[in-house]
Amino acid sequence: MDKITEQDGFAPLGREGLVERVARLLSKAIVTGQLTPGTRLSESVVAKQLGTSRAPVREAARLLENSGLVTYYANRGFFVRKFTATELDNLYEFRIVIELAAVRRLIREGLGDTGPALAAQIEELRRLAGPPHDMLTHVEADMQFHRLICNGSGNPRFLRTFEQIALETELTIVLIGKLYEDAHRLAETHVPILEALQSGCEQDAVDAMFYHLDVARTLVTEQFRKLEDESPK
């Protein structure tokens, strides 16, 4: 496994909200591929680069472990998590459970301000599909659409659970490089969800979200399985 080195470089941080800031910095490095799966997170190296002690780095790594980005091995330390196609399939199965529940509650509580926010997010996805296209920014915008639904449901537990798996989802999509050949396709796959929500029909909205996530589940797991098959044994 690779190990993070001093040459990878992080700028020193101040003390306010230190653990959270270290966690954000490391998560960004992981999701963008600066720290690849299997890389060891050396607490001493990261702490030296950030100008802090090892304690906040360790606490930040624990936060990332809870988010599914980092794995801890006893007597070895923290490593950037390696995913399997089966794990990704399980992740999407869990997302489906959470997001269908959020859709049901959103319909029952009323769409309200969430409708215009979702429409605006689709427009943002369309804008980001154009040049210069940045995969991570586009995926983050995709996740924001789903975050708005969880938030609009009015049940904070849906949102908290979604946040716990959002980074995992972003990382796995970035790892495979793309979902669709045409980046503009990503925005259009969200349109039926919004239309179903606007109709006020709970079953239509549930069906639209299930179809959307199930297609993504198939695309992600199949593409990741190809990467597994092509990787050296």
Coordinates of all heavy atoms in Angstrom, one line a residue, residues 10-68:
F10 N 0.4 19.8 2.5 CA -0.7 20.5 3.0 C -0.3 21.8 3.7 O 0.8 21.8 4.4 CB -1.5 19.6 4.1 CG -2.2 18.4 3.5 CD1 -1.7 17.1 3.8 CD2 -3.2 18.5 2.6 CE1 -2.4 16.0 3.3 CE2 -3.9 17.4 2.1 CZ -3.4 16.2 2.4
A11 N -1.0 22.9 3.5 CA -0.7 24.1 4.2 C -1.1 24.1 5.7 O -2.1 23.5 6.0 CB -1.4 25.3 3.5
P12 N -0.3 24.8 6.5 CA -0.6 24.8 8.0 C -2.0 25.4 8.2 O -2.5 26.3 7.5 CB 0.5 25.7 8.6 CG 1.6 25.5 7.6 CD 1.0 25.4 6.2
L13 N -2.7 24.9 9.3 CA -4.0 25.4 9.7 C -4.0 26.1 11.0 O -3.1 25.8 11.9 CB -5.0 24.2 9.7 CG -5.3 23.5 8.4 CD1 -6.2 22.3 8.7 CD2 -5.9 24.4 7.4
G14 N -4.9 27.0 11.3 CA -5.1 27.6 12.6 C -5.9 26.6 13.5 O -6.2 25.5 13.0
R15 N -6.2 27.0 14.7 CA -6.7 26.0 15.7 C -8.3 26.0 15.7 O -8.8 25.0 16.1 CB -6.2 26.4 17.1 CG -4.7 26.2 17.2 CD -4.3 26.3 18.7 NE -4.9 25.3 19.5 CZ -4.5 24.0 19.6 NH1 -3.4 23.7 18.9 NH2 -5.1 23.1 20.3
E16 N -8.9 27.0 15.2 CA -10.4 27.1 15.3 C -11.0 26.0 14.4 O -10.8 25.9 13.2 CB -10.9 28.4 14.9 CG -12.4 28.6 15.1 CD -12.9 30.0 14.8 OE1 -12.0 30.9 14.5 OE2 -14.1 30.2 14.8
G17 N -11.9 25.2 15.0 CA -12.5 24.1 14.3 C -11.5 23.2 13.6 O -11.8 22.7 12.5
L18 N -10.5 22.9 14.3 CA -9.3 22.2 13.6 C -9.7 20.8 13.1 O -9.3 20.5 12.0 CB -8.2 22.1 14.6 CG -6.8 21.7 14.1 CD1 -6.4 22.6 12.9 CD2 -5.7 21.7 15.2
V19 N -10.3 20.0 14.0 CA -10.6 18.6 13.6 C -11.5 18.6 12.3 O -11.2 17.9 11.4 CB -11.3 17.9 14.7 CG1 -11.8 16.5 14.2 CG2 -10.4 17.7 15.9
E20 N -12.5 19.4 12.3 CA -13.4 19.5 11.1 C -12.7 19.9 9.9 O -12.9 19.4 8.8 CB -14.6 20.4 11.4 CG -15.6 19.8 12.4 CD -15.1 20.0 13.9 OE1 -14.1 20.7 14.1 OE2 -15.6 19.3 14.8
R21 N -11.8 20.9 10.1 CA -11.0 21.4 8.9 C -10.1 20.4 8.4 O -9.9 20.2 7.1 CB -10.3 22.7 9.3 CG -11.3 23.9 9.6 CD -10.5 25.0 10.3 NE -9.6 25.7 9.3 CZ -8.7 26.5 9.8 NH1 -8.6 26.8 11.0 NH2 -7.9 27.1 8.9
V22 N -9.4 19.7 9.3 CA -8.5 18.6 8.8 C -9.3 17.5 8.1 O -8.9 17.0 7.0 CB -7.8 18.0 10.0 CG1 -7.0 16.7 9.6 CG2 -6.8 19.0 10.6
A23 N -10.5 17.2 8.6 CA -11.3 16.2 8.0 C -11.8 16.6 6.6 O -11.7 15.8 5.7 CB -12.6 15.9 8.9
R24 N -12.1 17.9 6.5 CA -12.5 18.4 5.1 C -11.4 18.3 4.2 O -11.5 18.0 3.0 CB -13.1 19.8 5.2 CG -14.5 19.9 5.8 CD -15.1 21.2 5.6 NE -14.4 22.3 6.1 CZ -14.6 22.8 7.4 NH1 -15.5 22.2 8.1 NH2 -13.9 23.8 7.8
L25 N -10.2 18.7 4.6 CA -9.0 18.7 3.8 C -8.7 17.3 3.3 O -8.4 17.1 2.1 CB -7.9 19.3 4.5 CG -6.6 19.6 3.8 CD1 -5.8 20.8 4.4 CD2 -5.7 18.3 3.8
L26 N -8.7 16.4 4.2 CA -8.4 15.0 3.9 C -9.4 14.4 3.0 O -9.1 13.6 2.0 CB -8.2 14.1 5.1 CG -7.0 14.5 6.0 CD1 -7.0 13.6 7.3 CD2 -5.7 14.2 5.2
S27 N -10.7 14.6 3.3 CA -11.8 14.1 2.5 C -11.7 14.6 1.0 O -11.9 13.9 0.1 CB -13.1 14.4 3.1 OG -13.4 15.8 3.1
K28 N -11.4 15.9 0.9 CA -11.2 16.5 -0.4 C -10.1 15.8 -1.2 O -10.2 15.5 -2.4 CB -11.0 18.0 -0.3 CG -11.1 18.7 -1.6 CD -12.6 18.9 -2.0 CE -12.7 19.9 -3.2 NZ -14.2 20.0 -3.5
A29 N -9.0 15.6 -0.5 CA -7.8 14.9 -1.1 C -8.1 13.5 -1.5 O -7.7 13.0 -2.6 CB -6.6 14.9 -0.1
I30 N -9.0 12.8 -0.8 CA -9.4 11.4 -1.1 C -10.3 11.4 -2.3 O -10.1 10.7 -3.3 CB -10.0 10.8 0.1 CG1 -9.0 10.5 1.2 CG2 -10.7 9.4 -0.3 CD1 -9.6 10.1 2.5
V31 N -11.3 12.3 -2.2 CA -12.4 12.3 -3.3 C -11.8 12.7 -4.6 O -12.2 12.2 -5.7 CB -13.6 13.1 -2.9 CG1 -14.5 13.3 -4.0 CG2 -14.3 12.5 -1.7
T32 N -10.8 13.7 -4.6 CA -10.2 14.1 -5.8 C -9.1 13.2 -6.4 O -8.6 13.4 -7.5 CB -9.6 15.5 -5.6 OG1 -8.6 15.5 -4.6 CG2 -10.7 16.6 -5.3
G33 N -8.8 12.2 -5.6 CA -7.7 11.3 -6.0 C -6.3 11.6 -5.7 O -5.4 10.9 -6.0
Q34 N -6.1 12.7 -4.9 CA -4.8 13.1 -4.4 C -4.3 12.0 -3.5 O -3.1 11.6 -3.5 CB -4.8 14.4 -3.7 CG -3.5 14.9 -3.2 CD -3.5 16.2 -2.4 OE1 -4.6 16.9 -2.4 NE2 -2.5 16.5 -1.7
L35 N -5.2 11.5 -2.7 CA -4.9 10.3 -1.9 C -5.7 9.1 -2.4 O -6.9 9.1 -2.4 CB -5.2 10.6 -0.4 CG -4.5 11.7 0.3 CD1 -5.0 11.9 1.7 CD2 -3.0 11.5 0.3
T36 N -5.0 8.1 -3.0 CA -5.6 7.0 -3.7 C -6.0 5.9 -2.7 O -5.4 5.8 -1.6 CB -4.7 6.5 -4.8 OG1 -3.5 6.1 -4.2 CG2 -4.5 7.6 -5.8
P37 N -6.9 5.0 -3.1 CA -7.3 3.9 -2.3 C -6.1 3.1 -1.9 O -5.2 2.8 -2.8 CB -8.3 3.1 -3.2 CG -8.9 4.1 -4.0 CD -7.8 5.1 -4.3
G38 N -6.0 2.7 -0.6 CA -4.9 2.0 -0.1 C -3.7 2.8 0.5 O -2.8 2.3 1.1
T39 N -3.8 4.1 0.3 CA -2.8 5.0 0.8 C -2.9 5.1 2.3 O -3.9 5.3 2.9 CB -2.9 6.4 0.2 OG1 -2.8 6.4 -1.2 CG2 -1.8 7.4 0.8
R40 N -1.7 5.0 3.0 CA -1.7 5.1 4.5 C -1.7 6.6 4.9 O -0.9 7.4 4.3 CB -0.5 4.4 5.1 CG -0.4 4.5 6.6 CD 0.7 3.6 7.1 NE 0.7 3.7 8.6 CZ 1.4 4.6 9.3 NH1 2.2 5.4 8.7 NH2 1.4 4.6 10.6
L41 N -2.6 7.0 5.8 CA -2.6 8.3 6.3 C -1.6 8.4 7.5 O -2.0 8.0 8.6 CB -4.0 8.7 6.7 CG -5.1 8.7 5.6 CD1 -6.4 9.1 6.2 CD2 -4.7 9.7 4.5
S42 N -0.5 8.9 7.3 CA 0.5 9.0 8.4 C 0.2 10.2 9.2 O 0.2 11.4 8.8 CB 1.9 9.2 7.8 OG 2.8 9.5 8.8
E43 N -0.2 10.0 10.5 CA -0.6 11.1 11.4 C 0.5 12.1 11.6 O 0.3 13.3 11.6 CB -1.1 10.5 12.7 CG -2.3 9.6 12.7 CD -2.6 9.0 14.0 OE1 -2.1 9.4 15.0 OE2 -3.4 8.0 14.0
S44 N 1.7 11.6 11.7 CA 2.9 12.4 12.0 C 3.2 13.3 10.8 O 3.4 14.5 10.9 CB 4.1 11.6 12.3 OG 4.4 10.7 11.3
V45 N 3.1 12.8 9.6 CA 3.4 13.5 8.4 C 2.3 14.6 8.2 O 2.6 15.8 7.9 CB 3.5 12.6 7.1 CG1 3.6 13.5 5.8 CG2 4.7 11.7 7.2
V46 N 1.0 14.2 8.2 CA 0.0 15.2 8.0 C 0.0 16.3 9.1 O -0.1 17.5 8.8 CB -1.4 14.5 8.1 CG1 -2.5 15.5 8.0 CG2 -1.5 13.5 6.9
A47 N 0.3 15.9 10.4 CA 0.3 16.8 11.5 C 1.5 17.8 11.2 O 1.3 19.0 11.5 CB 0.5 16.1 12.8
K48 N 2.6 17.4 10.8 CA 3.7 18.2 10.5 C 3.4 19.2 9.4 O 3.7 20.4 9.5 CB 5.0 17.4 10.1 CG 6.2 18.2 9.9 CD 7.4 17.3 9.5 CE 8.6 18.2 9.2 NZ 9.8 17.3 8.9
Q49 N 2.8 18.8 8.4 CA 2.4 19.6 7.2 C 1.4 20.7 7.6 O 1.5 21.8 7.2 CB 1.9 18.8 6.1 CG 3.0 17.9 5.4 CD 2.4 17.0 4.3 OE1 1.1 17.0 4.2 NE2 3.2 16.4 3.6
L50 N 0.5 20.3 8.5 CA -0.6 21.2 8.9 C -0.2 22.1 10.1 O -0.9 23.0 10.5 CB -1.9 20.4 9.2 CG -2.4 19.6 8.1 CD1 -3.7 18.9 8.6 CD2 -2.8 20.5 6.9
G51 N 1.0 21.8 10.7 CA 1.4 22.6 11.8 C 0.6 22.4 13.1 O 0.3 23.3 13.8
T52 N 0.2 21.2 13.3 CA -0.6 20.8 14.4 C -0.1 19.6 15.1 O 0.9 19.0 14.6 CB -2.1 20.7 14.0 OG1 -2.9 20.5 15.2 CG2 -2.3 19.5 13.1
S53 N -0.7 19.1 16.2 CA -0.3 17.9 16.8 C -1.0 16.7 16.1 O -1.9 16.9 15.2 CB -0.8 17.9 18.3 OG -2.2 17.9 18.4
R54 N -0.7 15.5 16.5 CA -1.2 14.3 15.9 C -2.7 14.1 16.3 O -3.5 13.5 15.6 CB -0.4 13.1 16.2 CG 1.0 13.2 15.6 CD 1.9 12.0 16.0 NE 1.4 10.7 15.6 CZ 2.0 9.6 15.8 NH1 3.2 9.6 16.4 NH2 1.5 8.4 15.4
A55 N -3.1 14.6 17.5 CA -4.4 14.3 18.0 C -5.5 14.7 17.1 O -6.4 13.9 16.8 CB -4.6 14.9 19.4
P56 N -5.6 16.0 16.6 CA -6.7 16.4 15.7 C -6.6 15.6 14.4 O -7.7 15.4 13.8 CB -6.4 17.9 15.5 CG -5.0 18.1 15.9 CD -4.7 17.1 16.9
V57 N -5.5 15.2 13.9 CA -5.4 14.4 12.7 C -6.0 13.1 12.9 O -6.8 12.5 12.1 CB -3.9 14.3 12.2 CG1 -3.9 13.3 11.0 CG2 -3.3 15.6 11.9
R58 N -5.7 12.5 14.1 CA -6.3 11.2 14.5 C -7.9 11.3 14.6 O -8.6 10.4 14.1 CB -5.7 10.7 15.8 CG -6.1 9.2 16.1 CD -5.5 8.8 17.4 NE -4.1 9.0 17.4 CZ -3.4 9.9 18.2 NH1 -4.1 10.6 19.0 NH2 -2.1 10.0 18.1
E59 N -8.3 12.4 15.2 CA -9.8 12.6 15.4 C -10.4 12.8 14.0 O -11.5 12.3 13.7 CB -10.0 13.7 16.3 CG -9.7 13.5 17.7 CD -9.9 14.8 18.6 OE1 -11.0 15.3 18.4 OE2 -9.0 15.1 19.3
A60 N -9.8 13.5 13.1 CA -10.3 13.7 11.8 C -10.4 12.4 11.0 O -11.3 12.2 10.3 CB -9.4 14.7 11.0
A61 N -9.4 11.6 11.2 CA -9.4 10.3 10.5 C -10.5 9.4 11.0 O -11.1 8.7 10.2 CB -8.0 9.6 10.7
R62 N -10.8 9.5 12.3 CA -12.0 8.8 12.8 C -13.3 9.3 12.2 O -14.2 8.5 11.9 CB -12.0 9.0 14.4 CG -10.9 8.3 15.2 CD -11.1 6.8 15.1 NE -10.1 6.1 15.9 CZ -9.8 4.8 15.8 NH1 -10.5 4.0 14.9 NH2 -8.9 4.2 16.6
L63 N -13.4 10.6 12.0 CA -14.6 11.1 11.3 C -14.7 10.5 9.9 O -15.8 10.2 9.5 CB -14.5 12.6 11.3 CG -14.7 13.4 12.6 CD1 -14.6 14.9 12.3 CD2 -16.0 13.1 13.2
L64 N -13.6 10.5 9.2 CA -13.6 9.9 7.9 C -13.9 8.4 7.9 O -14.5 7.9 6.9 CB -12.3 10.2 7.2 CG -11.9 11.7 6.9 CD1 -10.7 11.8 6.1 CD2 -13.1 12.4 6.3
E65 N -13.5 7.8 8.9 CA -13.8 6.3 9.1 C -15.3 6.2 9.2 O -15.9 5.3 8.5 CB -13.1 5.7 10.3 CG -13.4 4.2 10.5 CD -12.7 3.7 11.7 OE1 -12.4 4.5 12.6 OE2 -12.5 2.5 11.8
N66 N -16.0 7.1 9.9 CA -17.4 7.0 10.0 C -18.1 7.3 8.7 O -19.2 6.9 8.4 CB -17.9 8.0 11.1 CG -17.5 7.6 12.5 OD1 -17.2 6.4 12.8 ND2 -17.4 8.6 13.4
S67 N -17.4 8.1 7.9 CA -18.0 8.5 6.6 C -17.7 7.5 5.5 O -18.2 7.6 4.4 CB -17.4 9.9 6.1 OG -17.8 10.9 7.0
G68 N -17.0 6.4 5.8 CA -16.7 5.4 4.9 C -15.5 5.6 4.0 O -15.3 4.8 3.1

